[in-house]
Amino acid sequence: MNTQPLTLNHIYLGNCCEVLATLPAQSVDLIFADPPYNLQLQNELWRPNQTKVAGVDAEWDQFADFKAYDTFTRAWLTACHRVLKDTGTLWVIGSYHNIYRVGMVLQDLGYWILNDIVWIKTNPMPNFKGTRFTNAHETLLWSVKSREQQKYTFNYEVMKHLNDEKQMRSDWDLWELPICSGGERLKSNGQKAHPTQKPEALLYRVILASSNPGDIVLDPFFGTGTTGAVAQKLKRHWIGIEKDSLYHDFALERISKIQPALLDDEFYGRLKTKRNAPRLPFAALLESGLLQSGESLYFKKQREQKALILADGFLRTADEKTGSIHQIGAYLGQMPTCNGWEHWYYEDEAGNLQVIDTLRERLRREREA
Ligand SMILES: C[S@@+](CC[C@H](N)C(=O)[O-])C[C@H]1O[C@@H](n2cnc3c(N)ncnc32)[C@H](O)[C@@H]1O
């Protein structure tokens, strides 16, 4: 099939497999998919107070059997694989009804799972009959396109800031935010506009963690457009695909009301950190004259453990060992690996030892100015 250029910030009305086939290969940075769960509800569910539970009994959630569901899953995940950039990542959310099947298909297609995230719901629907545990979480699988793919966006520092400066874990309670309710829930004639509208807080974390401002985020099961709404707020481009025209219209109206504030990218999650700073080889310090060949560097601030700087940026020890700042650091420190930037010191004009990372920072600042 002939592909068309991407239309950004747009909802395609139609079946996602058919629409995905028309989009260019390797064109989007992030995919978030909230597919039908195949809930297999057989009977109506009633609360003890005789009110009916609004379950997901829509036609779009119906499949003849597991085989039909697997065929559908394989089709849309294959179509996503083609459209996703090699450096992109894909998220799928589901419950115990479908997530194990989705996980198997992901792996069969070559995707490599990076994490499974548990979204813990603070106000889950009780198990009214008392016949099993309350089902209080959903699972998100986060994958790259192949096991070999090492390069992808993960805003580690941003997630850490979001978690009070502690490494973000894979169990998310979203600050005890309830499942989508209150003002956020779209209504039509007093009823929920969509049975499975996701909370914006969930998409906020997903998008902030795994994309950057200006990236393209695609959602093949757009529903009420939660992914697009959050992407718009966070200054990402978005593409939605939805086969139901009513949901399409709800989503369009919802997103049209959102104007992203036009602030600097840093406001939207592109924090400048050591991890994502432009790479600078050690030799750049020689080229820029901040260090000289023939000068000594001192390991771990100890004057007796030193090495000479060679013109190509390698170091040489007194026992004639030559290698990068990292290799020679590991050798002297008897460690399997060593980040040389943090362990080697130079002598400043006042005769004090300073870590060489300060020179790298200085050079980066000068180059940015
Ligand atoms: C679980 S809901 C997604 C809800 C969405 N995350 C939200 O926050 O509103 C799945 C959506 O996918 C749509 N859908 C189901 N099968 C589809 C298909 N083959 N192509 C496109 N949309 C589909 C349904 O109409 C439904 O709105």
Side-chain angles (χ1 to χ4, degrees):
M1 183 181 281
N2 281 344
T3 59
Q4 307 290 324
L6 287 182
T7 310
L8 296 180
N9 308 330
H10 173 73
I11 312 174
Y12 291 84
L13 181 61
N15 182 306
C16 63
C17 292
E18 288 165 18
V19 173
L20 284 164
T22 68
L23 305 183
Q26 304 241 24
S27 56
V28 306
D29 300 285
L30 178 65
I31 296 180
F32 177 84
D34 179 13
Y37 283 23
N38 189 22
L39 287 185
Q40 315 127 45
L41 291 180
Q42 276 151 12
N43 301 310
E44 290 180 340
L45 201 53
W46 291 80
R47 297 188 180 90
N49 66 1
Q50 299 306 305
T51 53
K52 190 179 157 201
V53 174
V56 184
D57 51 9
E59 167 274 323
W60 56 258
D61 202 51
Q62 312 280 331
F63 293 83
D65 49 26
F66 283 142
K67 194 161 169 258
Y69 188 76
D70 294 349
T71 304
F72 161 77
T73 303
R74 193 163 290 113
W76 72 261
L77 279 173
T78 303
C80 284
H81 201 275
R82 190 186 67 80
V83 165
L84 189 62
K85 290 182 188 169
D86 285 346
T87 51
T89 58
L90 171 132
W91 293 79
V92 190
I93 185 167
S95 63
Y96 69 88
H97 307 87
N98 68 329
I99 203 67
Y100 297 101
R101 312 196 79 81
V102 169
M104 189 185 73
V105 175
L106 276 171
Q107 292 180 330
D108 284 352
L109 293 176
Y111 286 97
W112 185 252
I113 298 177
L114 297 168
N115 278 116
D116 63 333
I117 302 286
V118 176
W119 165 36
I120 301 164
K121 299 178 180 180
T122 42
N123 60 343
M125 178 131 43
N127 180 257
F128 293 113
K129 291 186 189 157
T131 50
R132 19 175 155 163
F133 298 105
T134 297
N135 184 27
H137 71 275
E138 291 189 24
T139 303
L140 295 104
L141 301 179
W142 182 41
S143 317
V144 276
K145 280 172 72 175
S146 73
R147 184 179 187 166
E148 290 71 41
Q149 189 60 42
Q150 303 286 329
K151 197 166 169 257
Y152 54 87
T153 300
F154 176 51
N155 292 319
Y156 171 82
E157 298 288 344
V158 177
M159 288 298 103
K160 198 170 159 189
H161 289 331
L162 212 66
N163 196 34
D164 255 349
E165 301 309 325
K166 289 198 289 289
Q167 207 172 62
M168 181 71 84
R169 296 158 46 115
S170 61
D171 48 347
W172 297 358
D173 64 7
L174 298 176
W175 312 123
E176 313 230 322
L177 272 173
I179 55 176
C180 186
S181 58
E184 200 182 313
R185 185 103 218 182
L186 296 191
K187 295 266 170 63
S188 167
N189 299 326
Q191 303 291 317
K192 288 178 191 172
H194 194 292
T196 66
Q197 181 183 337
K198 292 293 174 293
E200 291 197 6
L202 184 67
L203 270 300
Y204 191 89
R205 191 170 293 182
V206 164
I207 292 177
L208 212 52
S210 51
S211 70
N212 288 310
D215 280 357
I216 302 173
V217 183
L218 181 144
D219 183 336
F221 303 100
F222 208 49
T224 56
T226 311
T227 305
V230 178
Q232 177 99 340
K233 288 180 185 170
L234 291 173
K235 221 177 148 192
R236 274 73 168 165
H237 298 294
W238 53 270
I239 295 170
I241 310 174
E242 171 56 53
K243 71 173 185 183
D244 184 308
S245 62
L246 211 59
Y247 297 153
H248 167 280
D249 294 351
F250 274 123
L252 203 60
E253 196 194 335
R254 173 185 188 181
I255 300 174
S256 68
K257 293 182 188 148
I258 300 167
Q259 291 302 326
L262 294 174
L263 303 170
D264 194 81
D265 282 357
E266 184 141 8
F267 283 90
Y268 302 97
R270 180 170 277 159
L271 294 188
K272 290 191 185 112
T273 65
K274 277 189 189 167
R275 259 177 204 243
N276 64 20
R279 288 182 73 84
L280 267 186
F282 175 69
L285 302 185
L286 304 181
E287 284 169 342
S288 58
L290 290 174
L291 290 174
Q292 315 288 334
S293 54
E295 208 175 321
S296 292
L297 289 188
Y298 303 92
F299 188 63
K300 288 191 171 173
K301 234 180 174 174
Q302 299 168 47
R303 292 212 179 251
E304 62 280 10
Q305 281 207 307
K306 63 179 182 179
L308 291 177
I309 305 174
L310 307 183
D312 59 5
F314 270 31
L315 302 186
R316 184 186 293 157
T317 59
D319 60 352
E320 302 280 310
K321 255 288 187 255
T322 304
S324 70
I325 51 170
H326 313 297
Q327 290 164 333
I328 299 298
Y331 169 68
L332 289 181
Q334 297 180 353
M335 303 180 286
T337 57
C338 167
N339 180 354
W341 290 106
E342 292 172 0
H343 289 94
W344 286 105
Y345 289 73
Y346 72 99
E347 193 173 282
D348 68 11
E349 284 168 6
N352 298 318
L353 292 186
Q354 308 285 355
V355 70
I356 58 172
D357 207 21
T358 55
L359 293 178
R360 179 168 66 158
E361 291 302 312
R362 195 168 125 195
L363 192 57
R364 278 192 180 132
R365 277 197 303 276
E366 282 172 16
R367 289 192 174 182
E368 274 174 16

